[in-house]
Amino acid sequence: MTEHPKRDPGAQRPANQRGAARLAAVQALYQMDVGRTTLEDTLAQFGAFHLGREIEGEQYLPADADFFRQIVTGVTRHQLDIDPAVDKALAESWPIERVDATLRAILRAATFELLRRRDIPARVVITEYVDVARAFYEDDASGLVNATLDAIAKQVGSDLV
């Protein structure tokens, strides 16, 4: 049996840098969608101002900047694969264009990871983006995100274990 070092219960755990990157990526994708900002401008703005800093009283957690860039750039480059996968997983009467812009950003970012980052277990991706949805919504949006991402993971044959 290997002995693990004892942790000080009062010490804070380091921030989940990938989780913070996912949250920032969703914010950036939303901004690009609604504000029609370019990829380059968005990456520059978030790199310079949002990742790991306090802005207008909001503390942004330290984020994995490279992972953030991979998600935002990946969604932009692979949107022609991502949107149809999301459409297929959503109810027929609700194509991705009818989904709220924040939910659309969450679903696009998560779907990018499920389709293109097969090195990350689908259950991790789903759990992380359900948590992101909870950060933005108090209603059942997290359930929609969970069901949609689960369906996409099954479409691509991801191992959920």
Side-chain angles (χ1 to χ4, degrees):
M1 183 178 205
T2 307
E3 189 171 317
H4 296 287
K6 300 221 184 249
R7 292 186 186 185
D8 174 4
Q12 288 187 321
R13 288 181 23 209
N16 175 345
Q17 291 190 346
R18 278 199 166 181
R22 287 178 173 107
L23 180 62
V26 166
Q27 292 170 320
L29 291 167
Y30 172 88
Q31 182 173 312
M32 289 173 64
D33 190 12
V34 173
R36 303 285 182 216
T37 56
T38 66
L39 174 63
E40 295 77 22
D41 288 346
T42 301
L43 291 176
Q45 179 185 3
F46 272 77
F49 299 110
H50 290 227
L51 302 178
R53 292 181 173 82
E54 183 176 330
I55 301 169
E56 297 176 9
E58 293 290 323
Q59 180 63 44
Y60 287 77
L61 295 174
D64 180 331
D66 183 55
F67 191 61
F68 163 81
R69 277 189 293 280
Q70 288 175 30
I71 295 169
V72 176
T73 302
V75 168
T76 303
R77 287 190 181 144
H78 300 288
Q79 197 164 338
L80 293 176
D81 296 327
I82 291 168
D83 284 1
V86 174
D87 275 340
K88 187 175 177 183
L90 288 169
E92 208 170 291
S93 61
W94 283 96
I96 193 167
E97 294 81 25
R98 287 189 66 188
V99 172
D100 168 86
T102 304
L103 270 177
R104 194 166 46 239
I106 292 167
L107 293 173
R108 283 176 173 159
T111 302
F112 163 73
E113 287 194 53
L114 291 171
L115 296 176
R116 299 287 175 165
R117 291 298 309 261
R118 302 300 289 269
D119 58 313
I120 303 170
R123 65 180 159 71
V124 171
V125 173
I126 294 169
T127 299
E128 289 276 326
Y129 284 100
V130 166
D131 286 347
V132 169
R134 286 186 182 125
F136 288 104
Y137 299 97
E138 292 182 9
D139 60 10
D140 59 352
S142 61
L144 172 74
V145 169
N146 187 43
T148 304
L149 297 181
D150 187 51
I152 292 167
K154 287 177 181 162
Q155 286 174 21
V156 298
S158 295
D159 182 12
L160 292 173
V161 180

